[in-house]
Amino acid sequence: MDHLVAINQFLAHRRGRNRSIRTIEQYHYQLIELWHAWIVHHADSLDQITLDHLLAYFDYLRHGRKNHRTGGIGLSAETIGGAWRTLRAFWRYCRRRNWITEQQALWFSDDELLPRPHVPQRIRPVLTDDALHDLLCACGQLDTAEQRYREHAIILLLAQSGMRIGELVSMRDSAMRLDDRATIIISKGGREDWAFWGSEADSAIRRYTRHRGHQGDGSVWLRLSGAPMTVSDVRKAIRHVADLAGITLPVGATVHCFRHRYAHKALDSGLDISQVSQLMRHRDIDTTLRYLREHKDRLKALHDRVRA
């Protein structure tokens, strides 16, 4: 089986299972720009791939691939971990279609053969109230009224809903319930979920939708051309606003820092961890606990209650 044919069929399969736009973009980057660009020079088809090829590929990501974000050599542990998980999903898909052998299929199941990359759990910076205020003010410096209204609404919505970036770009006009300040979104794994927002975001969304230059295909967030915004479009838009505001957003968490802020606000409001987990649409409460681990002020308050 040809590499590119198999990859495109895998991507089509994932789209058919309603994977989020962000997930599909990640799959495309990891399988086309990383994996295919490397393996095409080493094996002509899937059945020619050896374990040594896979080991050499991950070594290349660590020590040979240019990092366009830093300008250095070698990708981050987080990027390599994501590439490993995506390739494992692709590998399992290939096995179900008998495109690889049983022996090849075992490689991602045995840590001694193909170790899973270690990804350190880092404490991510949280967007402060002052930084949020500066971002909202900087929207007024954008070139067109539609951009000003759009970016202002997106920033408020991210801050007041805790949406993931893929969930935000999945929003549809027909799924919004403006009177309830709610919408149905496509969450991780293609699952439909509810997301909610506050009064400030509500006013901003209503203003933006009134002033959109196009109606597009029903997507809420549109480029000036009328095409739906992608995950990359939203990231670029927020980075541009941050540049205007003179703010440096966390590398690799341009949008996710809003989500962390929302989780901390939910904890500060008195919700317990299981309630916050529901609002964050986490399948595993351990994921939510990581947000608590990153909440310095909350941990400090707990520490101060301890009498040594």
Side-chain angles (χ1 to χ4, degrees):
M1 170 61 72
D2 177 77
H3 300 299
L4 199 54
V5 171
I7 289 171
N8 284 328
Q9 289 194 29
F10 170 77
L11 293 175
H13 174 262
R14 285 303 196 256
R15 290 190 192 97
R17 296 185 64 181
N18 290 324
R19 290 295 187 265
S20 71
I21 296 172
R22 173 176 165 78
T23 298
I24 295 299
E25 288 184 356
Q26 287 178 331
Y27 283 158
H28 187 277
Y29 167 71
Q30 291 158 350
L31 291 175
I32 300 290
E33 297 185 38
L34 294 182
W35 169 245
H36 181 261
W38 185 87
I39 194 60
V40 73
H41 299 293
H42 299 84
D44 293 330
S45 60
L46 288 173
D47 59 351
Q48 293 182 11
I49 296 173
T50 66
L51 178 59
D52 286 340
H53 283 137
L54 290 172
L55 293 170
Y57 168 66
F58 286 106
D59 188 65
Y60 158 74
L61 296 184
R62 292 185 187 93
H63 306 296
R65 170 77 182 190
K66 182 176 180 180
N67 189 321
H68 295 289
R69 180 177 293 160
T70 65
I73 299 298
L75 302 182
S76 68
E78 290 83 358
T79 300
I80 295 171
W84 189 92
R85 291 191 300 273
T86 295
L87 195 54
R88 180 184 61 179
F90 172 65
W91 215 245
R92 289 173 174 172
Y93 175 83
C94 292
R95 180 63 191 123
R96 290 196 296 271
R97 279 146 186 79
N98 294 317
W99 294 341
I100 58 175
T101 66
E102 289 186 13
Q103 182 180 9
Q104 287 176 306
L106 292 174
W107 295 337
F108 276 94
S109 303
D110 191 333
D111 275 346
E112 292 187 4
L113 293 176
L114 190 63
R116 182 172 186 150
H118 173 67
V119 180
Q121 294 293 331
R122 307 183 192 279
I123 294 179
R124 294 181 180 270
V126 176
L127 190 72
T128 65
D129 290 345
D130 287 342
L132 177 61
H133 175 268
D134 291 344
L135 287 172
L136 293 171
C137 290
C139 291
Q141 302 177 45
L142 294 167
D143 294 335
T144 69
E146 185 173 346
Q147 283 176 296
R148 292 193 289 272
Y149 295 148
R150 184 187 66 193
E151 268 72 311
H152 193 265
I154 286 175
I155 288 169
L156 275 173
L157 180 60
L158 289 170
Q160 294 187 1
S161 71
M163 281 190 194
R164 301 177 178 95
I165 188 171
E167 295 169 344
L168 181 133
V169 298
S170 77
M171 289 175 63
R172 309 283 296 178
D173 289 326
S174 59
M176 285 205 296
R177 308 289 187 268
L178 289 177
D179 290 342
D180 297 324
R181 299 176 189 166
T183 188
I184 296 173
I185 53 172
I186 304 300
S187 192
K188 274 193 169 182
R191 185 181 72 240
E192 285 191 346
D193 274 314
W194 284 102
F196 306 89
W197 52 83
S199 58
E200 291 176 284
D202 183 61
S203 298
I205 292 169
R206 290 175 185 270
R207 183 175 62 176
Y208 164 65
T209 54
R210 285 197 306 269
H211 289 86
R212 278 186 308 198
H214 302 81
Q215 292 306 311
D217 66 346
S219 297
V220 173
W221 309 107
L222 303 177
R223 299 175 182 171
L224 297 184
S225 66
M229 291 185 80
T230 65
V231 167
S232 297
D233 291 332
V234 174
R235 280 206 193 95
K236 289 176 184 176
I238 292 177
R239 286 195 197 108
H240 181 48
V241 174
D243 288 342
L244 293 174
I247 293 172
T248 301
L249 294 175
V251 174
T254 302
V255 176
H256 218 63
C257 62
F258 290 88
R259 185 165 165 81
H260 282 249
R261 178 184 184 276
Y262 177 79
H264 288 198
K265 292 290 184 182
L267 287 166
D268 290 342
S269 71
L271 299 183
D272 64 42
I273 199 72
S274 64
Q275 292 169 324
V276 176
S277 186
Q278 291 178 54
L279 284 176
M280 299 295 288
R281 298 172 292 283
H282 286 152
R283 290 185 175 181
D284 188 342
I285 200 168
D286 286 343
T287 304
T288 316
L289 287 170
R290 288 208 299 268
Y291 288 73
L292 175 59
R293 179 177 65 86
E294 296 168 350
H295 197 325
K296 177 177 68 66
D297 293 339
R298 190 176 179 88
L299 290 174
K300 180 66 165 59
L302 292 174
H303 167 78
D304 290 344
R305 290 166 57 185
V306 177
R307 294 186 178 182

